[in-house]
Amino acid sequence: MTQRPRLVIVLSRFPYPLEKGDKLRAYYQIKHLALHFAIHLICVHEDRVTQQQRNALKPYCQEIHTVRIRKLFLPLRIVIGTLIKRFPLQVSYFYSATAKRKINALLDDIKPAVIYNQLIRTAPYTVHRSEPKVIDIMDAFSYGMSQRSLASKGLRRIIYRSESRLIRTYENMVIPEYNGKTIISIQDKLRSSHLDGSQIELVRNGVEMDRFKPIETQKLYDLVFVGNMGYAPNVEAAAFIVNEILPYYLAQYGKSLTVGIIGARPTPKVTSLQSDSVSVIGWVEDINLAYNQGKVFVAPIFHGIGQQNKLMEAMSCQLPCVVSPEVAAPFNAKHNQELLIAENVEEFVMQLNVVLEKRIDISLLKQNAIKSICNKYTWNQQTEPLIKILQDLV
């Protein structure tokens, strides 16, 4: 039996539970990469990793190593990383010299055929290594920070603008040192124009259709929005739904809508949206049930980067979806075919009314959506390019 090549995967978080996009991407990539490689997982982490979390990854990993960085030393890490090493804040946050020594000792011991880093925040741990290595840029973070600076004021604006510049500089310095580079969408690739786009390959996310599917359950909400509710674009979207869409819909059609806002780590701004017609629910065990409790999935995200997994999950559940152009673009989804697209509050209200009042063939919309998911966006299909990149380096 041919021995599978050793692949070390370096992450900035333990990839379970699946309440964040980077964890979701890492978990399913690991699951499919395990069919071709002997995976040695190295995770930097702040919080305690439970045995239950480890057990979720055990079937796919030869070894699992966790390297803890203490929250107590975060101010020191920020000072050393940002002021001395000139790291972006998001790199400084996850960097520790002690962790670097431990990770390098592990790499020396494992002797990997290839190393796979997720996000530039893990680059300080491997950029100097001589082994073939791949970095998943994932999102256009410098662009995202630039957009946040435009939407902010005062000190926040200065911080976001500075972080955008630091990320661009750091990306230009470390990314060329990697043999392979991947990113999640063509939009993010174009937004990373400061990098050599010809060297960056697309590796999109997929959806687990066995997990996200239609089920018979009570429809508790007219509108449902799902996501990590500690992530700024999701927070803004939740506020837009409640403060803009609901009152405008009531004024236009004389009807109140019920909303379910569901996802881990809701900020105070999100929890303050709770009312008789708005349910703010944190982490739930069965996210598939949460989708199916809504009549329509809505996503007014105007400043996000990357690929919105929530849209694929909602489409896989065969929910009619009304989303912004920014959400639809990475999927090349067409208006009035797989979903409905709205650019402002007036259009969102109009399109939601079209769906809720069944003034469109909902069954055709669902059929087109599930066909698109089946043909393009399973994890098996989307991980194939990454497998090829890694195998070519081996």
Side-chain angles (χ1 to χ4, degrees):
M1 183 175 179
T2 305
Q3 190 174 16
R4 290 172 298 165
R6 293 180 181 180
L7 168 64
V8 166
I9 298 179
V10 184
L11 305 178
S12 58
R13 295 189 180 101
F14 196 83
Y16 199 87
L18 309 180
E19 85 277 29
K20 290 189 174 185
D22 58 330
K23 291 185 176 186
L24 185 87
R25 182 170 171 86
Y27 175 83
Y28 283 107
Q29 286 184 347
I30 289 168
K31 187 175 179 179
H32 288 274
L33 289 169
L35 299 173
H36 304 271
F37 300 91
I39 293 179
H40 297 253
L41 180 62
I42 300 176
C43 301
V44 177
H45 68 103
E46 283 187 314
D47 302 312
R48 187 174 66 90
V49 177
T50 66
Q51 191 58 48
Q52 182 185 17
Q53 289 173 289
R54 290 176 181 273
N55 289 343
L57 274 296
K58 263 189 175 181
Y60 316 116
C61 297
Q62 191 94 359
E63 294 179 346
I64 297 174
H65 302 279
T66 56
V67 181
R68 193 165 187 182
I69 53 174
R70 303 278 178 178
K71 289 183 180 179
L72 177 66
F73 300 119
L74 176 59
L76 181 61
R77 294 204 306 271
I78 294 295
V79 169
I80 293 173
T82 306
L83 298 182
I84 298 175
K85 293 183 175 292
R86 298 301 295 164
F87 290 161
L89 282 170
Q90 67 163 285
V91 176
S92 298
Y93 189 102
F94 293 94
Y95 177 76
S96 157
T98 303
K100 183 173 181 176
R101 285 193 295 272
K102 290 179 180 178
I103 289 171
N104 275 278
L106 285 169
L107 289 169
D108 290 341
D109 184 54
I110 295 166
K111 296 180 175 58
V114 62
I115 300 170
Y116 177 50
N117 284 68
Q118 187 190 66
L119 299 169
I120 61 164
R121 61 180 63 148
T122 64
Y125 296 120
T126 63
V127 67
H128 61 286
R129 301 288 303 195
S130 60
E131 297 94 340
K133 50 190 181 287
V134 175
I135 189 162
D136 183 26
I137 304 164
M138 200 158 87
D139 300 331
F141 279 102
S142 60
Y143 173 84
M145 287 295 164
S146 176
Q147 291 299 106
R148 284 199 204 181
S149 74
L150 295 175
S152 303
K153 296 179 180 178
L155 182 60
R156 283 180 179 269
R157 185 168 193 168
I158 294 170
I159 292 171
Y160 286 141
R161 187 182 295 162
S162 172
E163 181 71 353
S164 177
R165 287 196 296 265
L166 286 170
I167 291 171
R168 287 174 67 91
T169 301
Y170 189 71
E171 285 178 337
N172 282 321
M173 182 173 67
V174 301
I175 288 175
E177 299 302 315
Y178 286 81
N179 307 90
K181 300 94 176 172
T182 63
I183 204 162
I184 202 167
S185 75
I186 187 64
Q187 286 75 23
D188 286 82
K189 182 174 178 176
L190 294 173
R191 288 163 177 168
S192 300
S193 56
H194 56 292
L195 301 172
D196 183 356
S198 66
Q199 301 296 316
I200 303 173
E201 301 192 49
L202 291 182
V203 176
R204 296 181 173 90
N205 279 358
V207 64
E208 187 181 26
M209 296 185 69
D210 289 340
R211 183 184 179 204
F212 295 99
K213 57 190 176 183
I215 58 173
E216 288 293 328
T217 188
Q218 183 182 1
K219 296 293 185 182
L220 301 180
Y221 317 111
D222 294 311
L223 315 180
V224 66
F225 179 63
V226 174
N228 169 17
M229 291 304 158
Y231 178 52
N234 286 342
V235 174
E236 293 169 10
F240 186 88
I241 292 167
V242 176
N243 298 330
E244 303 290 336
I245 291 176
L246 294 194
Y248 198 91
Y249 194 96
L250 179 63
Q252 287 292 106
Y253 301 107
K255 295 181 181 179
S256 297
L257 298 178
T258 54
V259 180
I261 298 172
I262 302 156
R265 299 181 181 87
T267 65
K269 183 174 180 179
V270 174
T271 56
S272 71
L273 301 173
Q274 176 83 29
S275 70
D276 291 342
S277 59
V278 178
S279 299
V280 177
I281 302 168
W283 165 258
V284 294
E285 285 292 334
D286 190 352
I287 196 68
N288 184 62
L289 175 63
Y291 279 111
N292 280 279
Q293 287 172 335
K295 296 178 184 177
V296 184
F297 173 77
V298 60
I301 298 174
F302 301 105
H303 301 296
I305 54 176
Q307 185 182 5
Q308 298 296 328
N309 303 309
K310 58 177 74 70
L311 175 58
M312 288 188 293
E313 293 165 357
M315 289 169 70
S316 188
C317 291
Q318 297 186 33
L319 271 184
C321 301
V322 182
V323 305
S324 62
E326 288 79 2
V327 172
F331 303 94
N332 199 28
K334 301 295 190 298
H335 178 62
N336 274 340
Q337 292 186 25
E338 298 101 333
L339 44 68
L340 299 176
I341 297 174
E343 295 194 37
N344 50 52
V345 64
E346 293 86 355
E347 290 184 9
F348 266 98
V349 165
M350 181 182 69
Q351 300 298 351
L352 287 169
N353 186 255
V354 164
V355 176
L356 292 168
E357 297 300 322
K358 296 181 172 59
R359 294 192 284 114
I360 189 174
D361 189 341
I362 303 297
S363 62
L364 182 61
L365 205 66
K366 292 178 180 179
Q367 287 172 22
N368 290 339
I370 204 68
K371 183 178 178 181
S372 177
I373 293 293
C374 288
N375 290 343
K376 303 176 187 175
Y377 292 106
T378 65
W379 278 107
N380 185 50
Q381 291 165 317
Q382 295 305 329
T383 312
E384 281 299 319
L386 178 59
I387 293 167
K388 185 178 186 307
I389 292 166
L390 294 167
Q391 286 180 333
D392 286 349
L393 287 174
V394 172

